[in-house]
Structure formats: C-alpha cells, structure tokens
Amino acid sequence: MKRFANLKRLGFFTRLLDEAPPADRYRFAAEQIVRAEKAGLDSAWIAQHHFHEREGGLPSPFAFLGYVAAQTSRIRLGTGIVTLPLESAVRVAEDAAVLDLLCNGRFELGVGTGGNPSAFAAFGLDGTQRNEIFARNLDVVRTALVGKPLAGGDTLYPQRPQLDKRIWQATFSVAGGARAGKAGDGLLLSRTQPRSKDAPTATLAEIQNPVIDAYLAALPPGCEPRIMASRSIFVADDHREAMRLADIGLRRALPQFMKGGHLPPGETLEEMIKAFDTHVGAADEVIASLRTDATLDRVTDLVFQVHSVDAPHPYVLRSIELVADKVAPALGWTRTAPAVALAG
C-alpha cells in the first residue's frame, strides 16, 4: 500500500554530528551528500549551529555548501536552517546569492529563529528578542535579494530575485506556521518536538498538523504549498544491527535530548526510540513505522536524518541507499534522477 500522495521530493539532512574531529565531520557530511545525489535523492540540507558541538557541528553553512556544490551537479542544496537572528541579514543575502549562482540555481534558503540563549549573548543580542530580530532580518534579506534599495540606498550585487521564491521558514508553533504561509514561503517541520506535561503522550502528528493547518489557511491564493517534514530515519541491512547502533546512539544523545526540554523517556530501547520519534530498523520495519505518521500524508518533501542514532559513517552511507532504494518508493516517492552505480 502506498501513502503520502502529496510527497514530491526526498532529501537527506545532516547536523554534522559524526563522532569525529571537525575536519572529518565536514568530509563525512560531504561524502554523505554526494552519496545522496548518486542514490537519486532530490535535495540535501545542512543545519547551522554556533558553539555547541553536541547540538551541531557547523557554524558556516554557506562556506560548506560551496564546497559541496563543487562536488555535486544535480541535487538541491539547502540550509535547515540559517539562524537568522544571529546573522547580518545583508551578508546572508549576499552569500545566498553568490552560492546560488555558483551551484546553478540549486540553493534553497531555510531560515529560523534558532540558537540557544548563550549563543545570543555571545553575539551581543538579547535572546528574548529573537522573534523580532528574525522578522526584521528576514525583511532585509527579501529586500536585498529582489534588488530593492537598502538603508542608505545601496542595492545588492549580485541580485538574485529567484531566491525570494525559495525561502523556507522553520517553526515549532501554529503562529510560526501562519507566518510562513502568509509570506508564501515553505514550511519546515522538525524531526521531533518536546511534549508538554499536559500532553506527554501526544504524537508528533498531533503537534504538527495544527501547524500545517495554520500554514495552509494563511497561504495566499494560487501559491503552491511547500511543506517539508524532517524525520529521524536509520535503516540497516538487518534488525539486530539497527537496534545495536540505535542503543548506542540514543543513550549517548539522551543528556542533550533532556537539555532540549524533552520529558524523560523510559529505560528500554523501545521507549527511547518512541521518545526520540525515531524510525529505525530494517527497511520493512521503517516503512511500517513511517506509515503510522499521519503528518506525512500532507507533506510535499520528506527529509531524513540519522540523528540521534548517529551511526558510524559507513552505516550512514548504507542507510541513505536503503532509504532511496527500499523505503521511500514504498511510501510513494518516485525517483526523478537515475541512481548511479557505485564502483566496486
């Protein structure tokens, strides 16, 4: 049985969290994106994080994507996300425009409020003002990209008005969904969200469907929805290997998970898999697990990440292949680019 009739595109996502020094993290992530392109995936997305290597390993997304663009030719490259309140809005527009030109129009600009309080303090900003700063900076980015005069009268060079139609907003909230819809932007949904004490057993669909409702209600007439759901998906060749790696990764990630505001999971691996909203196992198990996620019936883009299993690099490469070859086609995704056979 196929579901997810709206699913048009499949992507790979990484926060660059491999258990390795920074240079190896960047090399591994680039190799994973190259493998995703060879597997026929439509897009690859990277996250920006400042300072906290257990949360994310990359403060400079444009530099990294420029490096990846030179190693790829077809796959779309996106930021999921640029932490816009912590950036110079004009510089974001400049870097986005240059990157989009260098990769022949393959760039997707995902933005969000992001960042933890200490990161805001390091940049001399007040974290309680993140939403206001985000709104101002996003207005400046749009103004710059489309070539309108900025404060002082200057205009961006190079201008890239096409990118104004490739902005995505990440949000956890109904209000954020409405904001993204009103702007005609894409909507980025997270792989997991903290549950409230009032609804500790709420499903991810119960949390995210109201966000989608608000997004669609606010979308201007005639504007095509772009709804991307990120999901934690790790596929191995057999169940036992998948569970072994999940047990290692999820227990290692538990302190950071709790720090992010999540309720304590149980002690068993099964309880942790559920708490982390993780789809893990052999291909048939992951297909069955994803079919229980009602949010995915409504998305145009499914982007998968191996976090928080965070298996060693060779297993990530294999998981990318298994998702593309076995899992996603069973859920309605149609490969539009041919997979490339690997040497050897």
Side-chain angles (χ1 to χ4, degrees), residues 232-233 250 272-274 276-280 289 307-309:
S232 292
I233 300 173
L250 295 180
M272 285 195 294
I273 288 171
K274 182 178 180 181
F276 276 81
D277 293 305
T278 298
H279 306 274
V280 58
S289 178
H307 318 306
S308 292
V309 173

Side-chain angles (χ1 to χ4, degrees), residues 16 18-29 53 57-59 64:
L16 296 89
D18 293 89
E19 289 289 311
D24 287 333
R25 283 189 174 192
Y26 301 153
R27 178 171 59 85
F28 290 161
E53 66 271 17
L58 182 68
F64 177 77

Side-chain angles (χ1 to χ4, degrees), residues 246-259:
D247 192 65
I248 296 169
L250 295 180
R251 293 188 191 281
R252 182 176 58 216
L254 188 56
Q256 194 65 42
F257 180 77
M258 299 291 294
K259 185 179 176 182

Side-chain angles (χ1 to χ4, degrees), residues 13 15 20 24 35 38 57 111 117 121 130 139 165 208 210-211 242 249 275 287 299 302 325 332:
F13 178 91
R15 291 163 62 199
D24 287 333
R35 181 64 58 91
K38 289 180 178 178
V111 295
R130 68 176 65 198
D139 283 344
K165 304 302 181 184
Q208 293 187 338
V211 180
I287 291 166
V299 305
L302 172 61
D325 291 343

Side-chain angles (χ1 to χ4, degrees), residues 188-220:
L188 295 176
L189 299 172
S190 177
R191 67 192 173 111
T192 186
Q193 290 185 221
R195 271 54 167 185
S196 69
K197 293 182 179 179
D198 295 332
T201 61
T203 66
L204 197 55
E206 288 170 340
I207 296 171
Q208 293 187 338
N209 271 326
V211 180
I212 296 176
D213 291 339
Y215 170 78
L216 293 173
L219 205 63

Side-chain angles (χ1 to χ4, degrees), residues 25-304:
R25 283 189 174 192
Y26 301 153
R27 178 171 59 85
F28 290 161
E31 290 176 3
Q32 290 160 12
I33 293 171
V34 169
R35 181 64 58 91
E37 178 172 82
K38 289 180 178 178
L41 270 63
D42 302 296
S43 66
W45 299 72
I46 52 96
Q48 177 189 43
H49 288 86
H50 294 286
F51 308 122
H52 302 274
E53 66 271 17
R54 297 301 304 181
E55 296 179 15
L58 182 68
S60 305
F62 295 107
F64 177 77
L65 287 180
Y67 171 70
V68 171
Q71 301 178 55
T72 56
S73 61
R74 178 195 56 79
I75 196 167
R76 303 197 67 76
L77 304 172
T79 51
I81 55 167
V82 173
T83 51
L84 195 55
L86 300 181
E87 304 299 319
S88 161
V90 174
R91 290 291 296 119
V92 167
E94 290 177 328
D95 284 346
V98 171
L99 176 59
D100 196 50
L101 285 166
L102 290 175
C103 70
N104 297 316
R106 290 188 283 138
F107 180 55
E108 304 280 334
L109 177 57
V111 295
T113 56
N116 56 44
S118 63
F120 278 81
F123 281 86
L125 299 169
D126 181 355
T128 65
Q129 300 296 312
R130 68 176 65 198
N131 290 324
E132 293 85 348
I133 300 170
F134 172 84
R136 289 198 304 269
N137 283 0
L138 185 53
D139 283 344
V140 173
V141 169
R142 291 188 196 281
T143 298
L145 287 174
V146 301
K148 293 180 180 178
L150 298 163
D154 283 327
T155 56
L156 195 71
Y157 178 84
Q159 293 169 15
R160 199 64 174 165
Q162 303 96 315
L163 267 175
D164 183 46
K165 304 302 181 184
R166 284 186 256 135
I167 293 174
W168 301 71
Q169 295 191 38
T171 185
F172 276 7
S173 71
V174 169
R179 180 189 65 212
K182 184 178 180 181
D185 292 337
L187 175 67
L188 295 176
L189 299 172
S190 177
R191 67 192 173 111
T192 186
Q193 290 185 221
R195 271 54 167 185
S196 69
K197 293 182 179 179
D198 295 332
T201 61
T203 66
L204 197 55
E206 288 170 340
I207 296 171
Q208 293 187 338
N209 271 326
V211 180
I212 296 176
D213 291 339
Y215 170 78
L216 293 173
L219 205 63
C223 187
E224 184 176 350
R226 290 178 289 137
I227 304 171
M228 178 183 294
S230 178
R231 290 296 182 262
S232 292
I233 300 173
F234 177 71
V235 190
D237 284 298
D238 65 77
H239 171 83
R240 181 176 298 180
E241 189 77 330
M243 293 303 113
R244 180 183 72 83
L245 293 166
D247 192 65
I248 296 169
L250 295 180
R251 293 188 191 281
R252 182 176 58 216
L254 188 56
Q256 194 65 42
F257 180 77
M258 299 291 294
K259 185 179 176 182
H262 293 267
L263 299 174
E267 291 294 323
T268 69
L269 176 58
E270 290 73 19
E271 288 171 319
M272 285 195 294
I273 288 171
K274 182 178 180 181
F276 276 81
D277 293 305
T278 298
H279 306 274
V280 58
D284 57 346
E285 297 172 283
V286 172
I287 291 166
S289 178
L290 286 167
R291 282 179 173 154
T292 68
D293 187 343
T295 311
L296 301 185
D297 290 328
R298 309 178 71 187
V299 305
T300 58
D301 296 69
L302 172 61
V303 175
F304 65 93

